[in-house]
Amino acid sequence: AGKSLSFQWKCKNGTYDCLDSNGNKLSIPDSTNAVVSLGRLRPGRFYFEVEVSDGSLKSTRGISISVTGVFPTALIDGPPKLFRTSGGVFNLDGSQSSSNDASSLFYTWSCVSEKGTCKDLNGNDLMYPSQPIFRLEKLPAGNYTFHLNVKSSFGNQQNTSKDVIVIDSPPLMKIIGGPVLVRGSQESIVIDASKSASLDGSALTYSWNCTTSKGSCTDTSGNTLVLPSQSTLTFTSLGA
């Protein structure tokens, strides 16, 4: 009758121990079986060797395997392509980028515009983070292409990009006033625009103008009204 065979597997990566994708020494499941199953190997060249013995005689054979790294997936989430307020704030989010080989990821951002280098409203070059989230604020109106390079700890990398068009958007104006019909020229009138707001949170300035069917607005003495540069106007002596 034939003798039973025993098996013993081991692995070498050159002169070094074989490592898994987490950097730990590779453990070969069922290393005494004729067939072994391996997964999540760190990229590199591996030499697997098996010793087969029948109890009195033994033989050793090996096989060389090259493992290449898996390319990461680079993704950018962010505002719609048309962003309606220059000087506003928005985030570009690369945190959904991923690596299938459990390696760490490293992020490199860059930007180009129709003018070349991307600058903020003050004319300063943008500062690029090495993190997955890129917070942007005070961008002037223009066309921008943001690039993200995602690189794994094994050296594999992938690029992606996102186009953003930033345009100026006027503030939202809201005026509260009345009544529309004033029955006496001495009646007080308040016109309030303080509920107006800018979409990007910047300070607002106010410039009022007043006309009537006769031309410029006047007070009861016939003098042309002087309208202050403030959000709220109060009148107590408008001419009819």
Side-chain angles (χ1 to χ4, degrees):
K3 295 182 178 181
S4 297
L5 299 177
S6 64
F7 302 85
Q8 183 62 58
W9 288 89
K10 61 182 179 180
C11 175
K12 286 290 182 181
N13 182 1
T15 59
Y16 302 97
D17 291 327
C18 299
L19 302 178
D20 63 20
S21 60
N22 295 319
N24 302 315
K25 184 176 179 179
L26 179 67
S27 175
I28 302 177
D30 303 319
S31 61
T32 57
N33 290 353
V35 179
V36 294
S37 181
L38 299 164
R40 305 186 73 82
L41 290 175
R42 181 178 286 256
R45 189 172 181 83
F46 299 86
Y47 185 74
F48 292 94
E49 187 177 84
V50 62
E51 181 183 273
V52 182
S53 175
D54 63 2
S56 58
L57 298 174
K58 60 183 178 181
S59 179
T60 301
R61 291 290 186 273
I63 182 173
S64 183
I65 298 176
S66 293
V67 178
T68 59
V70 179
F71 286 91
T73 300
L75 296 172
I76 299 177
D77 188 21
K81 182 176 181 179
L82 185 62
F83 188 69
R84 292 190 171 277
T85 174
S86 66
V89 178
F90 62 89
N91 288 331
L92 296 175
D93 186 353
S95 63
Q96 297 304 309
S97 302
S98 60
S99 172
N100 291 325
D101 56 11
S103 61
S104 300
L105 295 179
F106 303 92
Y107 303 85
T108 302
W109 292 94
S110 60
C111 173
V112 293
S113 71
E114 73 264 35
K115 298 179 181 179
T117 305
C118 297
K119 298 179 181 293
D120 62 20
L121 283 173
N122 298 320
N124 300 315
D125 290 339
L126 296 185
M127 301 294 291
Y128 299 105
S130 56
Q131 303 297 325
I133 306 297
F134 187 5
R135 177 182 169 85
L136 288 143
E137 55 184 324
K138 296 184 178 180
L139 275 181
N143 297 341
Y144 300 88
T145 300
F146 294 94
H147 298 277
L148 174 62
N149 172 273
V150 178
K151 186 175 182 180
S152 74
S153 54
F154 298 141
N156 296 302
Q157 55 187 307
Q158 188 184 65
N159 299 304
T160 188
S161 62
K162 182 175 180 61
D163 294 328
V164 177
I165 301 174
V166 179
I167 63 174
D168 288 315
S169 185
L172 301 174
M173 182 177 292
K174 185 174 184 180
I175 298 178
I176 301 173
V180 176
L181 179 61
V182 180
R183 296 188 178 279
S185 59
Q186 299 298 322
E187 186 173 337
S188 179
I189 302 173
V190 177
I191 302 176
D192 184 358
S194 63
K195 300 301 183 181
S196 302
S198 62
L199 295 178
D200 59 9
S202 60
L204 297 177
T205 59
Y206 299 85
S207 179
W208 294 91
N209 184 41
C210 177
T211 58
T212 71
S213 58
K214 300 177 181 179
S216 299
C217 299
T218 60
D219 60 20
T220 53
S221 300
N223 300 313
T224 301
L225 291 181
V226 177
L227 304 178
S229 300
Q230 58 191 39
S231 61
T232 304
L233 302 181
T234 302
F235 303 102
T236 57
S237 56
L238 274 179

